[in-house]
Amino acid sequence: MDMGNQHPSISRLQEIQKEVKSIEQQVIGFSGLSDDKNYKNLERMLTKQLFEIDSVDTEGKGDIQQARKRAAQETEHLLKELEQNANHPHRLEIQSIFTEAQSLVKEKIVPFFSGGNCVPVECEEDIQDIILRLTHVKTGGKVSLRKARYHTLTKICAVQEIVEDCMKRQPSLPLSEDAHPSVAKINSVMCEVNKARGTLISLLMGVTSNETCRHFSCVLSGLIADLDALDVCGHPEIRNYRREVVEDINKLLKYLDLEEEADRTHAFDLRQNHSILKIEKVLQRMREIKTELLQAQSPSELYLSAKTELQSLIGRLDEVSLEKNPCIREARRRAVIEVQTLITYVDLKEALEKRKLIVCEEHPSHRAVWTVLAHLAEIQEEVFSFDGNRADKNYIRLEELLTKQLLALDAVDPQGEEKCKAARKQAVRLAQNILSFLDLKSDEWEY
């Protein structure tokens, strides 16, 4: 249809579609819940557009009816996606874990800062457990879930940092107020900073309604201004004391920017994260080495060079920046396990090859252990190729094979032979490590 002669109803529908399109990314990236203010705003905007679409007069014309139907379907699709984002089972799982963290903060952590009591040591363990559970929440690559998980992790990791900072580092002792008139003010500000840590944690976790981030930021900035106004010229020890307190305040101010940071794509979408990309590059090379070893006609010729390169890959993983992100830390930990498992496999195959060249009498129990080790090498090759979950028949079969080898080792009687005892112990450890590696490959973890 000529744009100059386009029907007014078609033009109106295109205007509405353009407005709907303008909020599409907000809907796709919505990471909150159905009772959030932003959810209600988006829902109201989309519903309004549906009413606008419905009010367009088609005049009984087929092309306008089809255009109106398409516009309505697009809008309804976004409404449905908004609802699914807010009520996705994994989004609700994230919220459930966050609610648990809120209870921990309210009952055990905040009282420490307000009452001067010690944060129980088990609180650190509880926080770490919550963080680990969050890193294992499946997102399926869905932007809204990645964003929700990262928002939650960011807050809880901040609480962990603040708590650990107070428990592990030795705080500066207040200077004597007789040393200089400014010391009394610095001491007073330092006491306020200690209390502010509890307020900050309450704000981050949403367990207080008595403070806002904006007001709290103004309070902290005011404390810095008070410290900057003090005249401490010619007193380096007092100047250093003031600097330490200012640094503590700046650390607290940094945490107030977490919400803005968590909205940046590179933060929650770890597929674009530099550290993750480095880990993936290492894993890619490790898999290439594994394929070369498993497909080579004479793999023994590759053992030395493979182990050397695999060790260098471990070094590269050690250099990866964790960026205080538990997901990156977990990704690196799993990558290290994968590379180390391949190194262990190469060591075992090399030992089995060397044993073939040695012709001598050996204890029957020792020979039985080596037989199990040969079976474990074969099973490990299958584990390397496994790609599924724990419900797969192949997983169950491999698990049964490994259990069978553990039982075979349990049946070996060393008859007092220390060498055989050590060999059996090492073989048991290897079988257990392969079983753990199988579990790691099947738990469907993602960034």
Side-chain angles (χ1 to χ4, degrees):
M1 182 182 291
D2 192 320
M3 292 297 292
N5 299 321
Q6 187 166 263
H7 195 284
S9 295
I10 293 290
S11 299
R12 178 59 186 142
L13 286 171
Q14 289 176 346
E15 290 173 6
I16 296 172
Q17 285 177 295
K18 189 175 180 180
E19 291 178 23
V20 171
K21 191 73 175 177
S22 68
I23 61 173
E24 182 179 15
Q25 290 307 311
Q26 293 181 57
V27 172
I28 293 172
F30 178 75
S31 60
L33 299 168
S34 57
D35 57 354
D36 289 356
K37 183 179 179 180
N38 195 28
Y39 177 92
K40 297 183 185 305
N41 286 338
L42 289 170
E43 185 182 42
R44 184 165 54 249
M45 290 166 67
L46 290 170
T47 303
K48 179 184 175 183
Q49 298 307 323
L50 271 180
F51 285 133
E52 291 288 337
I53 292 168
D54 191 55
S55 68
V56 172
D57 186 5
T58 65
E59 301 177 4
K61 295 182 178 180
D63 58 336
I64 301 177
Q65 289 175 343
Q66 288 298 318
R68 188 174 72 172
K69 182 179 179 181
R70 283 195 300 272
Q73 287 174 338
E74 290 172 5
T75 309
E76 287 169 353
H77 172 75
L78 282 183
L79 268 172
K80 185 177 180 181
E81 181 156 2
L82 178 64
E83 183 182 359
Q84 288 175 340
N85 286 351
N87 296 287
H88 194 287
H90 292 164
R91 178 63 186 93
L92 299 179
E93 181 184 357
I94 291 170
Q95 186 61 27
S96 175
I97 296 173
F98 183 64
T99 302
E100 184 181 331
Q102 285 180 309
S103 298
L104 176 67
V105 163
K106 190 173 184 179
E107 295 169 12
K108 296 184 179 180
I109 296 178
V110 170
F112 157 72
F113 293 101
S114 58
N117 301 316
C118 292
V119 174
V121 176
E122 59 267 21
C123 280
E124 280 192 275
E125 297 174 358
D126 291 340
I127 293 173
Q128 186 57 43
D129 177 65
I130 287 170
I131 289 172
L132 187 61
R133 283 160 54 198
L134 277 170
T135 64
H136 284 78
V137 173
K138 304 292 185 294
T139 67
K142 196 172 175 64
V143 172
S144 60
L145 290 177
R146 286 180 181 273
K147 201 171 178 180
R149 184 178 68 175
Y150 188 77
H151 268 276
T152 308
L153 275 170
T154 301
K155 294 175 183 178
I156 299 176
C157 286
V159 173
Q160 183 186 47
E161 282 183 26
I162 296 167
V163 170
E164 287 180 350
D165 188 51
C166 289
M167 295 183 73
K168 292 180 180 178
R169 74 180 180 89
Q170 292 293 327
S172 300
L173 294 175
L175 294 177
S176 170
E177 296 184 5
D178 297 331
H180 191 276
S182 299
V183 172
K185 180 61 179 176
I186 300 174
N187 288 344
S188 172
V189 171
M190 187 173 74
C191 291
E192 291 299 317
V193 171
N194 288 334
K195 293 178 184 177
R197 290 190 176 92
T199 304
L200 175 60
I201 289 175
S202 297
L203 272 172
L204 290 172
M205 298 300 292
V207 296
T208 180
S209 58
N210 301 324
E211 185 63 275
T212 64
C213 287
R214 179 175 294 181
H215 178 259
F216 185 63
S217 177
C218 290
V219 170
L220 292 178
S221 298
L223 292 177
I224 291 178
D226 290 343
L227 292 173
D228 286 343
L230 296 176
D231 182 11
V232 293
C233 292
H235 299 274
E237 72 283 358
I238 300 174
R239 189 164 59 249
N240 289 337
Y241 178 38
R242 181 181 67 175
R243 189 188 70 248
E244 288 180 15
V245 179
V246 169
E247 286 175 354
D248 284 345
I249 297 173
N250 283 326
K251 282 182 183 178
L252 300 186
L253 282 168
K254 177 192 69 175
Y255 291 117
L256 294 176
D257 297 328
L258 289 176
E259 286 296 314
E260 181 181 346
E261 168 63 23
D263 277 329
R264 295 171 186 164
T265 304
H266 80 272
F268 63 82
D269 189 354
L270 292 181
R271 291 172 299 183
Q272 301 180 36
N273 182 277
H274 292 304
S275 294
I276 290 294
L277 292 174
K278 287 180 181 178
I279 292 171
E280 284 293 343
K281 194 170 182 180
V282 168
L283 287 174
Q284 181 181 353
R285 180 55 192 148
M286 181 274 297
R287 290 169 187 141
E288 290 172 356
I289 295 171
K290 178 179 66 178
T291 302
E292 291 169 8
L293 287 168
L294 295 179
Q295 295 181 354
Q297 293 183 347
S298 302
S300 57
E301 298 175 1
L302 303 174
Y303 290 155
L304 181 59
S305 60
K307 284 200 295 183
T308 301
E309 187 170 0
L310 288 170
Q311 290 292 354
S312 72
L313 293 181
I314 293 286
R316 285 166 59 184
L317 288 171
D318 288 341
E319 295 170 359
V320 170
S321 171
L322 300 181
E323 304 175 20
K324 295 183 179 180
N325 188 319
C327 291
I328 298 176
R329 182 165 60 241
E330 176 67 5
R332 188 181 72 171
R333 183 189 72 83
R334 297 168 76 93
V336 168
I337 290 174
E338 283 205 54
V339 178
Q340 287 178 336
T341 301
L342 186 55
I343 292 173
T344 303
Y345 166 77
V346 174
D347 284 338
L348 176 57
K349 290 292 289 184
E350 198 170 25
L352 289 168
E353 291 286 344
K354 289 180 179 177
R355 187 172 180 273
K356 292 177 182 178
L357 304 176
I358 301 173
V359 181
C360 63
E361 290 293 324
E362 62 181 348
H363 195 281
S365 299
H366 200 245
R367 186 165 57 251
V369 171
W370 275 104
T371 301
V372 171
L373 286 171
H375 289 316
L376 287 175
E378 294 172 359
I379 296 171
Q380 192 168 18
E381 290 177 7
E382 290 194 62
V383 171
F384 281 138
S385 303
F386 177 77
D387 183 21
N389 56 46
R390 292 169 190 171
D392 290 355
K393 291 182 179 179
N394 200 26
Y395 173 88
I396 297 170
R397 182 182 67 83
L398 289 169
E399 188 179 40
E400 288 175 351
L401 286 174
L402 288 166
T403 303
K404 183 178 178 182
Q405 298 309 313
L406 282 168
L407 291 173
L409 288 169
D410 191 53
V412 173
D413 182 7
Q415 298 177 4
E417 286 283 332
E418 292 300 322
K419 186 177 179 182
C420 185
K421 283 182 182 179
R424 186 180 69 171
K425 184 178 180 180
Q426 191 174 5
V428 167
R429 189 182 300 116
L430 175 62
Q432 291 171 338
N433 287 343
I434 297 173
L435 191 55
S436 297
F437 182 62
L438 177 62
D439 284 338
L440 181 138
K441 289 198 70 177
S442 61
D443 67 4
E444 300 176 284
W445 187 81
E446 62 181 20
Y447 301 136

